[in-house]
Amino acid sequence: MLARGKPFQAVLRRFAGGRSRRAANWQPTGFQRRSYAQRLDEDDSVLEAEWKRQLLSWKTLGLFTIPVIAFGLGTWQAQRLKWKMELLDDVNDRMHRPPIPLPLRVSADEITRNEFRRVLVHGVFDHAAEVLVGPRAMEGEPGFIVVTPLVREDGSRVLVNRGWIRRELKDPKTRPESQPDEPVTVVAFVRRAPRDNAFTPTSDPQSSEWFSIDVPRMAARANAQEVLLDAIHPESVTSVLHDARNGIPIGTPLQVDIRNNHLQYLITWYGLGVFTSAMLIYSLRKPLTAAARIRRMRDRAGRFL
């Protein structure tokens, strides 16, 4: 055995230097090069087959339907927005026209054409046939809507939505100022019969429980025309406070606010369509080949060296 001194260290240096030179000069044989290339091709074939399988799967079809539906609903909301803007312009024009006398006989077509048109109607309220609809809240305070038939000069009747009263003034005896006996002239909007939603309870006329303004049933009960008028209340804070305190119904303001949320819905649906489309494209991108992955790893390694 060799002693571990300087001669032994010299032998180790020569041995290590020889291996280093052989490793530096090593080149793969043709067989080794072909085997490595074949393995890369096999990996690429597997990745491409998996990508094609994913591309034609039910999962991809399901993901594809989401942006299609979202863009479709966004387009529908765009059409609804255009319709609503035209409707608001038309309603705003009708509201600001001078009030006209309400004809003695009004057809359903005339009501539809003149909805939100201001009219003048003269007559006497039939307080015995008054109906309370509710409960309804106004600025968080519970109350009821007062609907009273108005008897006109020819004996015909129309329904007038006089407005809101507080719950504690439900009994007509507690609000004598709201029960005028003399003839009155009412300025009101022509309105179509409101639609009930799925959550509105069914009214019971026999027990005088009305949860919605059911124009046909109310008109039949009061022997009136199926005409609904929303009384317009003066836009004065003092008059509103006085009327609320004394039980005089607070009617519809002169400027009616009609909801228009179609722009928000449009942005929501189009935004969802863009987001899901980007996710779909990212998830279905074609995988890189083995050679491309190697080049990418070399480039990244070069940045840190």
Side-chain angles (χ1 to χ4, degrees):
M1 295 181 62
L2 295 174
R4 293 196 177 184
K6 292 184 179 179
F8 179 74
Q9 293 176 357
V11 172
L12 287 178
R13 283 197 297 270
R14 286 197 301 271
F15 178 76
R19 292 192 62 179
S20 300
R21 287 192 296 271
R22 286 195 300 271
N25 297 326
W26 179 85
Q27 293 292 333
T29 64
F31 173 77
Q32 291 172 329
R33 283 195 296 268
R34 285 193 300 272
S35 300
Y36 186 64
Q38 288 174 357
R39 287 197 297 269
L40 291 179
D41 292 339
E42 290 174 359
D43 291 343
D44 291 341
S45 300
V46 172
L47 289 174
E48 186 170 357
E50 179 65 21
W51 174 70
K52 289 182 178 179
R53 187 192 66 78
Q54 182 183 359
L55 193 65
L56 302 176
S57 65
W58 287 105
K59 178 181 177 182
T60 301
L61 180 60
L63 291 175
F64 179 75
T65 58
I66 297 177
V68 171
I69 294 174
F71 281 121
L73 291 174
T75 302
W76 177 63
Q77 288 297 332
Q79 296 172 353
R80 295 278 295 174
L81 177 62
K82 180 182 178 182
W83 165 80
K84 197 60 169 286
M85 295 300 295
E86 293 174 354
L87 176 64
L88 291 176
D89 290 340
D90 189 22
V91 168
N92 188 61
D93 177 65
R94 294 180 201 170
M95 285 182 177
H96 290 85
R97 292 179 186 176
I100 59 175
L102 182 71
L104 295 177
R105 295 293 173 183
V106 183
S107 65
D109 291 339
E110 290 175 326
I111 293 175
T112 302
R113 290 196 306 268
N114 293 283
E115 188 176 19
F116 290 106
R117 181 73 189 270
R118 285 187 295 167
V119 295
L120 297 172
V121 58
H122 186 74
V124 179
F125 282 120
D126 182 5
H127 299 292
E130 178 182 276
V131 171
L132 298 181
V133 181
R136 293 287 190 276
M138 184 176 186
E139 296 184 356
E141 185 173 359
F144 294 90
I145 298 295
V146 180
V147 179
T148 310
L150 183 72
V151 184
R152 308 180 70 186
E153 54 267 23
D154 67 336
S156 63
R157 295 170 171 234
V158 294
L159 300 175
V160 179
N161 175 7
R162 299 179 62 194
W164 177 87
I165 60 170
R166 294 187 299 170
R167 182 173 57 185
E168 55 267 27
L169 299 175
K170 178 180 179 179
D171 188 353
K173 296 178 182 179
T174 61
R175 45 185 172 88
E177 291 189 37
S178 69
Q179 310 285 307
D181 295 327
E182 65 276 5
V184 295
T185 299
V186 179
V187 182
F189 288 123
V190 177
R191 293 300 309 274
R192 288 188 293 179
R195 299 178 181 177
D196 294 340
N197 57 47
F199 303 99
T200 303
T202 303
S203 300
D204 185 7
Q206 300 299 327
S207 58
S208 298
E209 291 184 346
W210 298 88
F211 299 101
S212 63
I213 301 178
D214 190 338
V215 174
R217 298 173 72 180
M218 287 182 176
R221 182 175 181 269
N223 193 25
Q225 299 182 64
E226 293 187 10
V227 178
L228 177 65
L229 305 176
D230 280 0
I232 299 175
H233 195 274
E235 293 186 354
S236 169
V237 177
T238 303
S239 63
V240 170
L241 294 176
H242 173 271
D243 292 349
R245 184 170 53 252
N246 293 278
I248 300 174
I250 301 174
T252 303
L254 181 60
Q255 186 65 37
V256 178
D257 184 18
I258 301 177
R259 295 175 59 185
N260 182 13
N261 297 325
H262 295 294
L263 180 60
Q264 301 175 20
Y265 300 150
L266 183 152
I267 295 173
T268 300
W269 286 117
Y270 274 146
L272 180 62
V274 171
F275 178 72
T276 53
S277 296
M279 289 184 59
L280 180 63
I281 293 172
Y282 180 79
S283 63
L284 295 180
R285 69 193 189 282
K286 191 172 183 179
L288 295 175
T289 62
R293 292 199 303 273
I294 292 173
R295 286 196 298 269
R296 175 180 289 184
M297 287 189 293
R298 287 177 177 174
D299 292 341
R300 289 179 178 175
R303 298 193 191 103
F304 297 100
L305 296 179

